[in-house]
Amino acid sequence: MPNLIAIHDFSDPALDLYARLNEAQLRRFYEPDPGLFIAESPKVIERALYAGYQPISILTEDRHIEGELHAILERCGDLPVYCANAATLTQLTGFSLTRGALCAMRRKALPSVEAICADKNRIAVLEGVVNPTNVGAIFRSAAALNMDAVLLSPDCSDPFYRRSARVSMGTVFQIPWTYLPRTGGMELLKQLGFATAAMALSDHAMGIDDPQLQQEEKLAVFLGAEGDGLSPQTISACDYTVCIPMAHGVDSLNVAAASAVAFWELRKR
């Protein structure tokens, strides 16, 4: 049975995880060991639990205890569950909870690039994508469209930040991912046998539907941030420069939309 705890005192230190620590502080909570993240909404919490992440506590609206959260709480034993009505929780957190529930969970140590790439054929590589919404949307597309893994440059937004995980619908807990080293990432991927394709606007770019790309046994698709895109160094180091043909004078798509088109076209058939 869950340990239901009604919220009366906003200064309770047990609520610091939800009300007074930012996501960077949560990430360093157990430093040097992996820290914490906040999963938002029953769907995201459920997928994190199925992926083996350990819950610390839950913050929820009263009405969800016997509703959407019921099955989740059944499997969490005597986990502390802090509860109040919607108005009280909005006052505490400063925003309306999406689907009425947050769960503080422990991170796991990230695997190595070599471990992530073992036996993989199609991976996405994100460079400098700092918008959490875009990161979450790219993960959702990667999971849905049969990409095997996602690698991120160190300056990308954390996929476990609450907004990223929520936008991804919890797929950040389903598809393997890790960070590339600060230097030598491209060389490492090539040593692991991957051909590399940069998604970029260029007069010399090949179309995303070029048969040569589909024939590559192992392919890493690089995507850059909104606006700046991939760095010139990354584009020049890749084996291919690839673009999505546009119509009506449109020059490009949002990186999340572009990722979905690329993943669909380049998936291993």
Side-chain angles (χ1 to χ4, degrees), residues 89-128:
L89 291 183
T90 299
Q91 182 182 353
L92 169 65
T93 61
F95 57 88
S96 178
L97 299 187
T98 300
R99 306 298 292 273
L102 299 174
C103 181
M105 309 187 88
R106 292 201 67 150
R107 291 174 180 262
K108 301 177 185 179
L110 287 174
S112 67
V113 174
E114 291 87 346
I116 286 288
C117 292
D119 303 319
K120 304 297 193 298
N121 297 109
R122 293 290 184 266
I123 62 173
V125 184
L126 310 187
E127 179 182 274

PDB file of all heavy atoms in Angstrom, residues 89-128:
ATOM      1  N   LEU A  89      -1.464  22.228  -5.156  1.00  0.00           N
ATOM      2  CA  LEU A  89      -0.268  21.819  -5.875  1.00  0.00           C
ATOM      3  C   LEU A  89       0.213  22.910  -6.829  1.00  0.00           C
ATOM      4  O   LEU A  89       1.413  23.104  -7.000  1.00  0.00           O
ATOM      5  CB  LEU A  89      -0.527  20.529  -6.656  1.00  0.00           C
ATOM      6  CG  LEU A  89      -0.720  19.281  -5.804  1.00  0.00           C
ATOM      7  CD1 LEU A  89      -0.893  18.054  -6.690  1.00  0.00           C
ATOM      8  CD2 LEU A  89       0.462  19.069  -4.862  1.00  0.00           C
ATOM      9  N   THR A  90      -0.706  23.625  -7.437  1.00  0.00           N
ATOM     10  CA  THR A  90      -0.312  24.728  -8.308  1.00  0.00           C
ATOM     11  C   THR A  90       0.389  25.811  -7.503  1.00  0.00           C
ATOM     12  O   THR A  90       1.390  26.392  -7.942  1.00  0.00           O
ATOM     13  CB  THR A  90      -1.539  25.311  -9.033  1.00  0.00           C
ATOM     14  OG1 THR A  90      -2.133  24.289  -9.839  1.00  0.00           O
ATOM     15  CG2 THR A  90      -1.146  26.493  -9.922  1.00  0.00           C
ATOM     16  N   GLN A  91      -0.096  26.081  -6.283  1.00  0.00           N
ATOM     17  CA  GLN A  91       0.551  27.056  -5.407  1.00  0.00           C
ATOM     18  C   GLN A  91       1.953  26.594  -5.023  1.00  0.00           C
ATOM     19  O   GLN A  91       2.909  27.373  -4.964  1.00  0.00           O
ATOM     20  CB  GLN A  91      -0.287  27.270  -4.156  1.00  0.00           C
ATOM     21  CG  GLN A  91       0.287  28.312  -3.197  1.00  0.00           C
ATOM     22  CD  GLN A  91      -0.560  28.471  -1.941  1.00  0.00           C
ATOM     23  OE1 GLN A  91      -1.647  27.902  -1.840  1.00  0.00           O
ATOM     24  NE2 GLN A  91      -0.056  29.220  -0.984  1.00  0.00           N
ATOM     25  N   LEU A  92       2.107  25.304  -4.787  1.00  0.00           N
ATOM     26  CA  LEU A  92       3.394  24.744  -4.374  1.00  0.00           C
ATOM     27  C   LEU A  92       4.419  24.765  -5.502  1.00  0.00           C
ATOM     28  O   LEU A  92       5.550  25.211  -5.330  1.00  0.00           O
ATOM     29  CB  LEU A  92       3.201  23.308  -3.878  1.00  0.00           C
ATOM     30  CG  LEU A  92       4.475  22.482  -3.652  1.00  0.00           C
ATOM     31  CD1 LEU A  92       5.300  23.085  -2.530  1.00  0.00           C
ATOM     32  CD2 LEU A  92       4.124  21.038  -3.334  1.00  0.00           C
ATOM     33  N   THR A  93       4.013  24.281  -6.673  1.00  0.00           N
ATOM     34  CA  THR A  93       4.974  24.094  -7.764  1.00  0.00           C
ATOM     35  C   THR A  93       5.080  25.301  -8.686  1.00  0.00           C
ATOM     36  O   THR A  93       6.054  25.434  -9.428  1.00  0.00           O
ATOM     37  CB  THR A  93       4.586  22.875  -8.618  1.00  0.00           C
ATOM     38  OG1 THR A  93       3.288  23.091  -9.201  1.00  0.00           O
ATOM     39  CG2 THR A  93       4.553  21.613  -7.766  1.00  0.00           C
ATOM     40  N   GLY A  94       4.072  26.169  -8.664  1.00  0.00           N
ATOM     41  CA  GLY A  94       4.100  27.330  -9.549  1.00  0.00           C
ATOM     42  C   GLY A  94       3.529  27.063 -10.922  1.00  0.00           C
ATOM     43  O   GLY A  94       3.527  27.927 -11.781  1.00  0.00           O
ATOM     44  N   PHE A  95       3.031  25.847 -11.161  1.00  0.00           N
ATOM     45  CA  PHE A  95       2.435  25.534 -12.449  1.00  0.00           C
ATOM     46  C   PHE A  95       1.416  24.413 -12.247  1.00  0.00           C
ATOM     47  O   PHE A  95       1.429  23.702 -11.247  1.00  0.00           O
ATOM     48  CB  PHE A  95       3.485  25.106 -13.476  1.00  0.00           C
ATOM     49  CG  PHE A  95       4.315  23.921 -13.040  1.00  0.00           C
ATOM     50  CD1 PHE A  95       3.905  22.627 -13.301  1.00  0.00           C
ATOM     51  CD2 PHE A  95       5.507  24.112 -12.354  1.00  0.00           C
ATOM     52  CE1 PHE A  95       4.661  21.544 -12.885  1.00  0.00           C
ATOM     53  CE2 PHE A  95       6.267  23.037 -11.938  1.00  0.00           C
ATOM     54  CZ  PHE A  95       5.846  21.738 -12.201  1.00  0.00           C
ATOM     55  N   SER A  96       0.535  24.254 -13.238  1.00  0.00           N
ATOM     56  CA  SER A  96      -0.441  23.179 -13.187  1.00  0.00           C
ATOM     57  C   SER A  96       0.220  21.883 -13.635  1.00  0.00           C
ATOM     58  O   SER A  96       0.850  21.831 -14.687  1.00  0.00           O
ATOM     59  CB  SER A  96      -1.624  23.505 -14.106  1.00  0.00           C
ATOM     60  OG  SER A  96      -2.567  22.457 -14.108  1.00  0.00           O
ATOM     61  N   LEU A  97       0.121  20.818 -12.838  1.00  0.00           N
ATOM     62  CA  LEU A  97       0.770  19.557 -13.173  1.00  0.00           C
ATOM     63  C   LEU A  97       0.121  18.924 -14.395  1.00  0.00           C
ATOM     64  O   LEU A  97      -1.099  18.820 -14.486  1.00  0.00           O
ATOM     65  CB  LEU A  97       0.677  18.569 -12.012  1.00  0.00           C
ATOM     66  CG  LEU A  97       1.333  18.955 -10.694  1.00  0.00           C
ATOM     67  CD1 LEU A  97       1.289  17.780  -9.736  1.00  0.00           C
ATOM     68  CD2 LEU A  97       2.764  19.392 -10.905  1.00  0.00           C
ATOM     69  N   THR A  98       0.930  18.496 -15.336  1.00  0.00           N
ATOM     70  CA  THR A  98       0.427  17.780 -16.496  1.00  0.00           C
ATOM     71  C   THR A  98      -0.064  16.407 -16.056  1.00  0.00           C
ATOM     72  O   THR A  98       0.697  15.614 -15.527  1.00  0.00           O
ATOM     73  CB  THR A  98       1.516  17.633 -17.570  1.00  0.00           C
ATOM     74  OG1 THR A  98       1.933  18.933 -17.982  1.00  0.00           O
ATOM     75  CG2 THR A  98       1.004  16.863 -18.762  1.00  0.00           C
ATOM     76  N   ARG A  99      -1.323  16.146 -16.275  1.00  0.00           N
ATOM     77  CA  ARG A  99      -1.945  14.877 -15.889  1.00  0.00           C
ATOM     78  C   ARG A  99      -1.805  14.606 -14.405  1.00  0.00           C
ATOM     79  O   ARG A  99      -1.951  13.477 -13.954  1.00  0.00           O
ATOM     80  CB  ARG A  99      -1.372  13.715 -16.712  1.00  0.00           C
ATOM     81  CG  ARG A  99      -1.450  13.911 -18.214  1.00  0.00           C
ATOM     82  CD  ARG A  99      -2.860  14.042 -18.739  1.00  0.00           C
ATOM     83  NE  ARG A  99      -3.598  12.806 -18.626  1.00  0.00           N
ATOM     84  CZ  ARG A  99      -3.582  11.843 -19.551  1.00  0.00           C
ATOM     85  NH1 ARG A  99      -2.859  11.991 -20.644  1.00  0.00           N
ATOM     86  NH2 ARG A  99      -4.303  10.756 -19.401  1.00  0.00           N
ATOM     87  N   GLY A 100      -1.473  15.636 -13.615  1.00  0.00           N
ATOM     88  CA  GLY A 100      -1.621  15.567 -12.176  1.00  0.00           C
ATOM     89  C   GLY A 100      -0.635  14.758 -11.369  1.00  0.00           C
ATOM     90  O   GLY A 100      -0.937  14.390 -10.230  1.00  0.00           O
ATOM     91  N   ALA A 101       0.572  14.450 -11.907  1.00  0.00           N
ATOM     92  CA  ALA A 101       1.492  13.628 -11.117  1.00  0.00           C
ATOM     93  C   ALA A 101       2.937  13.889 -11.501  1.00  0.00           C
ATOM     94  O   ALA A 101       3.275  14.055 -12.670  1.00  0.00           O
ATOM     95  CB  ALA A 101       1.175  12.148 -11.309  1.00  0.00           C
ATOM     96  N   LEU A 102       3.806  13.914 -10.465  1.00  0.00           N
ATOM     97  CA  LEU A 102       5.251  13.964 -10.644  1.00  0.00           C
ATOM     98  C   LEU A 102       5.857  12.832  -9.820  1.00  0.00           C
ATOM     99  O   LEU A 102       5.346  12.494  -8.758  1.00  0.00           O
ATOM    100  CB  LEU A 102       5.837  15.294 -10.157  1.00  0.00           C
ATOM    101  CG  LEU A 102       5.376  16.587 -10.820  1.00  0.00           C
ATOM    102  CD1 LEU A 102       5.980  17.789 -10.091  1.00  0.00           C
ATOM    103  CD2 LEU A 102       5.764  16.613 -12.283  1.00  0.00           C
ATOM    104  N   CYS A 103       6.961  12.278 -10.315  1.00  0.00           N
ATOM    105  CA  CYS A 103       7.648  11.225  -9.575  1.00  0.00           C
ATOM    106  C   CYS A 103       9.147  11.490  -9.603  1.00  0.00           C
ATOM    107  O   CYS A 103       9.739  11.624 -10.684  1.00  0.00           O
ATOM    108  CB  CYS A 103       7.355   9.856 -10.189  1.00  0.00           C
ATOM    109  SG  CYS A 103       8.140   8.472  -9.319  1.00  0.00           S
ATOM    110  N   ALA A 104       9.765  11.594  -8.431  1.00  0.00           N
ATOM    111  CA  ALA A 104      11.218  11.728  -8.339  1.00  0.00           C
ATOM    112  C   ALA A 104      11.826  10.328  -8.449  1.00  0.00           C
ATOM    113  O   ALA A 104      11.413   9.402  -7.745  1.00  0.00           O
ATOM    114  CB  ALA A 104      11.609  12.372  -7.018  1.00  0.00           C
ATOM    115  N   MET A 105      12.814  10.186  -9.343  1.00  0.00           N
ATOM    116  CA  MET A 105      13.392   8.866  -9.607  1.00  0.00           C
ATOM    117  C   MET A 105      14.911   8.968  -9.686  1.00  0.00           C
ATOM    118  O   MET A 105      15.462  10.019 -10.038  1.00  0.00           O
ATOM    119  CB  MET A 105      12.844   8.294 -10.921  1.00  0.00           C
ATOM    120  CG  MET A 105      11.336   8.325 -11.017  1.00  0.00           C
ATOM    121  SD  MET A 105      10.671   7.473 -12.465  1.00  0.00           S
ATOM    122  CE  MET A 105      10.504   5.813 -11.826  1.00  0.00           C
ATOM    123  N   ARG A 106      15.582   7.872  -9.363  1.00  0.00           N
ATOM    124  CA  ARG A 106      17.037   7.827  -9.410  1.00  0.00           C
ATOM    125  C   ARG A 106      17.504   7.527 -10.824  1.00  0.00           C
ATOM    126  O   ARG A 106      16.945   6.683 -11.523  1.00  0.00           O
ATOM    127  CB  ARG A 106      17.576   6.751  -8.467  1.00  0.00           C
ATOM    128  CG  ARG A 106      17.368   7.075  -7.000  1.00  0.00           C
ATOM    129  CD  ARG A 106      18.306   6.296  -6.115  1.00  0.00           C
ATOM    130  NE  ARG A 106      19.698   6.698  -6.313  1.00  0.00           N
ATOM    131  CZ  ARG A 106      20.641   6.651  -5.372  1.00  0.00           C
ATOM    132  NH1 ARG A 106      20.325   6.218  -4.162  1.00  0.00           N
ATOM    133  NH2 ARG A 106      21.869   7.027  -5.620  1.00  0.00           N
ATOM    134  N   ARG A 107      18.546   8.238 -11.240  1.00  0.00           N
ATOM    135  CA  ARG A 107      19.187   7.968 -12.520  1.00  0.00           C
ATOM    136  C   ARG A 107      20.042   6.705 -12.425  1.00  0.00           C
ATOM    137  O   ARG A 107      20.382   6.249 -11.332  1.00  0.00           O
ATOM    138  CB  ARG A 107      20.081   9.144 -12.934  1.00  0.00           C
ATOM    139  CG  ARG A 107      19.317  10.400 -13.308  1.00  0.00           C
ATOM    140  CD  ARG A 107      20.276  11.549 -13.566  1.00  0.00           C
ATOM    141  NE  ARG A 107      19.560  12.759 -13.928  1.00  0.00           N
ATOM    142  CZ  ARG A 107      19.375  13.174 -15.182  1.00  0.00           C
ATOM    143  NH1 ARG A 107      19.893  12.481 -16.178  1.00  0.00           N
ATOM    144  NH2 ARG A 107      18.706  14.280 -15.427  1.00  0.00           N
ATOM    145  N   LYS A 108      20.375   6.173 -13.599  1.00  0.00           N
ATOM    146  CA  LYS A 108      21.356   5.096 -13.700  1.00  0.00           C
ATOM    147  C   LYS A 108      22.618   5.662 -14.346  1.00  0.00           C
ATOM    148  O   LYS A 108      22.574   6.698 -15.034  1.00  0.00           O
ATOM    149  CB  LYS A 108      20.824   3.961 -14.576  1.00  0.00           C
ATOM    150  CG  LYS A 108      19.531   3.328 -14.097  1.00  0.00           C
ATOM    151  CD  LYS A 108      19.104   2.279 -15.113  1.00  0.00           C
ATOM    152  CE  LYS A 108      17.753   1.681 -14.777  1.00  0.00           C
ATOM    153  NZ  LYS A 108      17.324   0.669 -15.791  1.00  0.00           N
ATOM    154  N   ALA A 109      23.732   4.990 -14.142  1.00  0.00           N
ATOM    155  CA  ALA A 109      24.957   5.377 -14.837  1.00  0.00           C
ATOM    156  C   ALA A 109      24.760   5.183 -16.338  1.00  0.00           C
ATOM    157  O   ALA A 109      24.185   4.177 -16.772  1.00  0.00           O
ATOM    158  CB  ALA A 109      26.134   4.535 -14.345  1.00  0.00           C
ATOM    159  N   LEU A 110      25.230   6.148 -17.126  1.00  0.00           N
ATOM    160  CA  LEU A 110      25.075   6.048 -18.571  1.00  0.00           C
ATOM    161  C   LEU A 110      26.072   5.039 -19.140  1.00  0.00           C
ATOM    162  O   LEU A 110      27.216   4.956 -18.698  1.00  0.00           O
ATOM    163  CB  LEU A 110      25.306   7.411 -19.226  1.00  0.00           C
ATOM    164  CG  LEU A 110      24.194   8.444 -19.031  1.00  0.00           C
ATOM    165  CD1 LEU A 110      24.620   9.788 -19.604  1.00  0.00           C
ATOM    166  CD2 LEU A 110      22.892   7.982 -19.666  1.00  0.00           C
ATOM    167  N   PRO A 111      25.656   4.270 -20.153  1.00  0.00           N
ATOM    168  CA  PRO A 111      26.571   3.320 -20.788  1.00  0.00           C
ATOM    169  C   PRO A 111      27.572   4.046 -21.676  1.00  0.00           C
ATOM    170  O   PRO A 111      27.419   5.236 -21.993  1.00  0.00           O
ATOM    171  CB  PRO A 111      25.637   2.432 -21.617  1.00  0.00           C
ATOM    172  CG  PRO A 111      24.453   3.300 -21.892  1.00  0.00           C
ATOM    173  CD  PRO A 111      24.294   4.203 -20.705  1.00  0.00           C
ATOM    174  N   SER A 112      28.602   3.330 -22.092  1.00  0.00           N
ATOM    175  CA  SER A 112      29.594   3.892 -23.007  1.00  0.00           C
ATOM    176  C   SER A 112      29.032   3.961 -24.425  1.00  0.00           C
ATOM    177  O   SER A 112      28.038   3.296 -24.755  1.00  0.00           O
ATOM    178  CB  SER A 112      30.857   3.030 -23.011  1.00  0.00           C
ATOM    179  OG  SER A 112      30.573   1.757 -23.578  1.00  0.00           O
ATOM    180  N   VAL A 113      29.664   4.766 -25.258  1.00  0.00           N
ATOM    181  CA  VAL A 113      29.279   4.821 -26.673  1.00  0.00           C
ATOM    182  C   VAL A 113      29.428   3.447 -27.307  1.00  0.00           C
ATOM    183  O   VAL A 113      28.573   3.004 -28.090  1.00  0.00           O
ATOM    184  CB  VAL A 113      30.134   5.868 -27.420  1.00  0.00           C
ATOM    185  CG1 VAL A 113      29.853   5.821 -28.921  1.00  0.00           C
ATOM    186  CG2 VAL A 113      29.862   7.265 -26.869  1.00  0.00           C
ATOM    187  N   GLU A 114      30.513   2.752 -26.972  1.00  0.00           N
ATOM    188  CA  GLU A 114      30.744   1.422 -27.545  1.00  0.00           C
ATOM    189  C   GLU A 114      29.608   0.463 -27.176  1.00  0.00           C
ATOM    190  O   GLU A 114      29.143  -0.312 -28.026  1.00  0.00           O
ATOM    191  CB  GLU A 114      32.077   0.856 -27.044  1.00  0.00           C
ATOM    192  CG  GLU A 114      33.299   1.586 -27.587  1.00  0.00           C
ATOM    193  CD  GLU A 114      33.704   2.792 -26.759  1.00  0.00           C
ATOM    194  OE1 GLU A 114      32.903   3.247 -25.901  1.00  0.00           O
ATOM    195  OE2 GLU A 114      34.819   3.285 -26.965  1.00  0.00           O
ATOM    196  N   ALA A 115      29.158   0.519 -25.925  1.00  0.00           N
ATOM    197  CA  ALA A 115      28.070  -0.361 -25.497  1.00  0.00           C
ATOM    198  C   ALA A 115      26.766  -0.004 -26.204  1.00  0.00           C
ATOM    199  O   ALA A 115      26.001  -0.885 -26.615  1.00  0.00           O
ATOM    200  CB  ALA A 115      27.891  -0.282 -23.984  1.00  0.00           C
ATOM    201  N   ILE A 116      26.511   1.286 -26.349  1.00  0.00           N
ATOM    202  CA  ILE A 116      25.294   1.733 -27.016  1.00  0.00           C
ATOM    203  C   ILE A 116      25.273   1.277 -28.479  1.00  0.00           C
ATOM    204  O   ILE A 116      24.242   0.860 -29.018  1.00  0.00           O
ATOM    205  CB  ILE A 116      25.164   3.267 -26.948  1.00  0.00           C
ATOM    206  CG1 ILE A 116      24.762   3.703 -25.543  1.00  0.00           C
ATOM    207  CG2 ILE A 116      24.147   3.795 -27.966  1.00  0.00           C
ATOM    208  CD1 ILE A 116      23.343   3.384 -25.158  1.00  0.00           C
ATOM    209  N   CYS A 117      26.421   1.359 -29.145  1.00  0.00           N
ATOM    210  CA  CYS A 117      26.486   1.104 -30.587  1.00  0.00           C
ATOM    211  C   CYS A 117      26.644  -0.367 -30.951  1.00  0.00           C
ATOM    212  O   CYS A 117      26.541  -0.728 -32.130  1.00  0.00           O
ATOM    213  CB  CYS A 117      27.632   1.895 -31.202  1.00  0.00           C
ATOM    214  SG  CYS A 117      27.370   3.686 -31.187  1.00  0.00           S
ATOM    215  N   ALA A 118      26.901  -1.211 -29.971  1.00  0.00           N
ATOM    216  CA  ALA A 118      27.101  -2.628 -30.264  1.00  0.00           C
ATOM    217  C   ALA A 118      25.846  -3.218 -30.917  1.00  0.00           C
ATOM    218  O   ALA A 118      24.731  -3.043 -30.414  1.00  0.00           O
ATOM    219  CB  ALA A 118      27.431  -3.384 -28.982  1.00  0.00           C
ATOM    220  N   ASP A 119      26.035  -3.886 -32.048  1.00  0.00           N
ATOM    221  CA  ASP A 119      24.939  -4.558 -32.777  1.00  0.00           C
ATOM    222  C   ASP A 119      23.862  -3.594 -33.255  1.00  0.00           C
ATOM    223  O   ASP A 119      22.717  -4.010 -33.488  1.00  0.00           O
ATOM    224  CB  ASP A 119      24.306  -5.649 -31.904  1.00  0.00           C
ATOM    225  CG  ASP A 119      25.312  -6.686 -31.438  1.00  0.00           C
ATOM    226  OD1 ASP A 119      26.169  -7.074 -32.251  1.00  0.00           O
ATOM    227  OD2 ASP A 119      25.246  -7.077 -30.259  1.00  0.00           O
ATOM    228  N   LYS A 120      24.199  -2.319 -33.412  1.00  0.00           N
ATOM    229  CA  LYS A 120      23.233  -1.344 -33.912  1.00  0.00           C
ATOM    230  C   LYS A 120      23.512  -1.031 -35.384  1.00  0.00           C
ATOM    231  O   LYS A 120      24.659  -1.062 -35.836  1.00  0.00           O
ATOM    232  CB  LYS A 120      23.302  -0.049 -33.095  1.00  0.00           C
ATOM    233  CG  LYS A 120      23.091  -0.229 -31.593  1.00  0.00           C
ATOM    234  CD  LYS A 120      21.726  -0.749 -31.252  1.00  0.00           C
ATOM    235  CE  LYS A 120      21.412  -0.617 -29.758  1.00  0.00           C
ATOM    236  NZ  LYS A 120      22.332  -1.394 -28.906  1.00  0.00           N
ATOM    237  N   ASN A 121      22.459  -0.699 -36.131  1.00  0.00           N
ATOM    238  CA  ASN A 121      22.595  -0.360 -37.547  1.00  0.00           C
ATOM    239  C   ASN A 121      22.249   1.090 -37.867  1.00  0.00           C
ATOM    240  O   ASN A 121      22.813   1.673 -38.791  1.00  0.00           O
ATOM    241  CB  ASN A 121      21.711  -1.269 -38.400  1.00  0.00           C
ATOM    242  CG  ASN A 121      22.095  -2.724 -38.311  1.00  0.00           C
ATOM    243  OD1 ASN A 121      21.377  -3.527 -37.713  1.00  0.00           O
ATOM    244  ND2 ASN A 121      23.228  -3.073 -38.881  1.00  0.00           N
ATOM    245  N   ARG A 122      21.303   1.657 -37.129  1.00  0.00           N
ATOM    246  CA  ARG A 122      20.864   3.018 -37.400  1.00  0.00           C
ATOM    247  C   ARG A 122      20.835   3.807 -36.090  1.00  0.00           C
ATOM    248  O   ARG A 122      20.105   3.449 -35.157  1.00  0.00           O
ATOM    249  CB  ARG A 122      19.463   3.037 -38.035  1.00  0.00           C
ATOM    250  CG  ARG A 122      19.387   2.430 -39.438  1.00  0.00           C
ATOM    251  CD  ARG A 122      20.097   3.324 -40.427  1.00  0.00           C
ATOM    252  NE  ARG A 122      19.983   2.859 -41.806  1.00  0.00           N
ATOM    253  CZ  ARG A 122      20.873   2.084 -42.412  1.00  0.00           C
ATOM    254  NH1 ARG A 122      21.929   1.637 -41.735  1.00  0.00           N
ATOM    255  NH2 ARG A 122      20.725   1.743 -43.682  1.00  0.00           N
ATOM    256  N   ILE A 123      21.638   4.860 -36.018  1.00  0.00           N
ATOM    257  CA  ILE A 123      21.640   5.694 -34.816  1.00  0.00           C
ATOM    258  C   ILE A 123      21.485   7.158 -35.209  1.00  0.00           C
ATOM    259  O   ILE A 123      21.889   7.575 -36.299  1.00  0.00           O
ATOM    260  CB  ILE A 123      22.920   5.504 -33.974  1.00  0.00           C
ATOM    261  CG1 ILE A 123      24.164   5.915 -34.756  1.00  0.00           C
ATOM    262  CG2 ILE A 123      23.042   4.071 -33.483  1.00  0.00           C
ATOM    263  CD1 ILE A 123      25.431   5.894 -33.912  1.00  0.00           C
ATOM    264  N   ALA A 124      20.890   7.920 -34.326  1.00  0.00           N
ATOM    265  CA  ALA A 124      20.785   9.370 -34.486  1.00  0.00           C
ATOM    266  C   ALA A 124      21.820  10.039 -33.597  1.00  0.00           C
ATOM    267  O   ALA A 124      22.054   9.596 -32.464  1.00  0.00           O
ATOM    268  CB  ALA A 124      19.386   9.847 -34.105  1.00  0.00           C
ATOM    269  N   VAL A 125      22.449  11.083 -34.108  1.00  0.00           N
ATOM    270  CA  VAL A 125      23.452  11.833 -33.349  1.00  0.00           C
ATOM    271  C   VAL A 125      23.005  13.290 -33.300  1.00  0.00           C
ATOM    272  O   VAL A 125      22.847  13.926 -34.351  1.00  0.00           O
ATOM    273  CB  VAL A 125      24.849  11.725 -33.977  1.00  0.00           C
ATOM    274  CG1 VAL A 125      25.877  12.434 -33.098  1.00  0.00           C
ATOM    275  CG2 VAL A 125      25.249  10.268 -34.197  1.00  0.00           C
ATOM    276  N   LEU A 126      22.791  13.816 -32.101  1.00  0.00           N
ATOM    277  CA  LEU A 126      22.347  15.197 -31.929  1.00  0.00           C
ATOM    278  C   LEU A 126      23.523  16.063 -31.527  1.00  0.00           C
ATOM    279  O   LEU A 126      24.259  15.717 -30.597  1.00  0.00           O
ATOM    280  CB  LEU A 126      21.242  15.292 -30.876  1.00  0.00           C
ATOM    281  CG  LEU A 126      20.059  14.330 -31.019  1.00  0.00           C
ATOM    282  CD1 LEU A 126      18.980  14.677 -29.998  1.00  0.00           C
ATOM    283  CD2 LEU A 126      19.515  14.333 -32.422  1.00  0.00           C
ATOM    284  N   GLU A 127      23.685  17.194 -32.204  1.00  0.00           N
ATOM    285  CA  GLU A 127      24.776  18.117 -31.907  1.00  0.00           C
ATOM    286  C   GLU A 127      24.203  19.465 -31.491  1.00  0.00           C
ATOM    287  O   GLU A 127      23.521  20.141 -32.280  1.00  0.00           O
ATOM    288  CB  GLU A 127      25.673  18.297 -33.133  1.00  0.00           C
ATOM    289  CG  GLU A 127      26.832  19.270 -32.900  1.00  0.00           C
ATOM    290  CD  GLU A 127      27.674  19.453 -34.144  1.00  0.00           C
ATOM    291  OE1 GLU A 127      28.594  18.640 -34.357  1.00  0.00           O
ATOM    292  OE2 GLU A 127      27.405  20.418 -34.910  1.00  0.00           O
ATOM    293  N   GLY A 128      24.433  19.850 -30.248  1.00  0.00           N
ATOM    294  CA  GLY A 128      24.041  21.175 -29.774  1.00  0.00           C
ATOM    295  C   GLY A 128      22.549  21.437 -29.759  1.00  0.00           C
ATOM    296  O   GLY A 128      22.128  22.599 -29.825  1.00  0.00           O
TER     297      GLY A 128
END
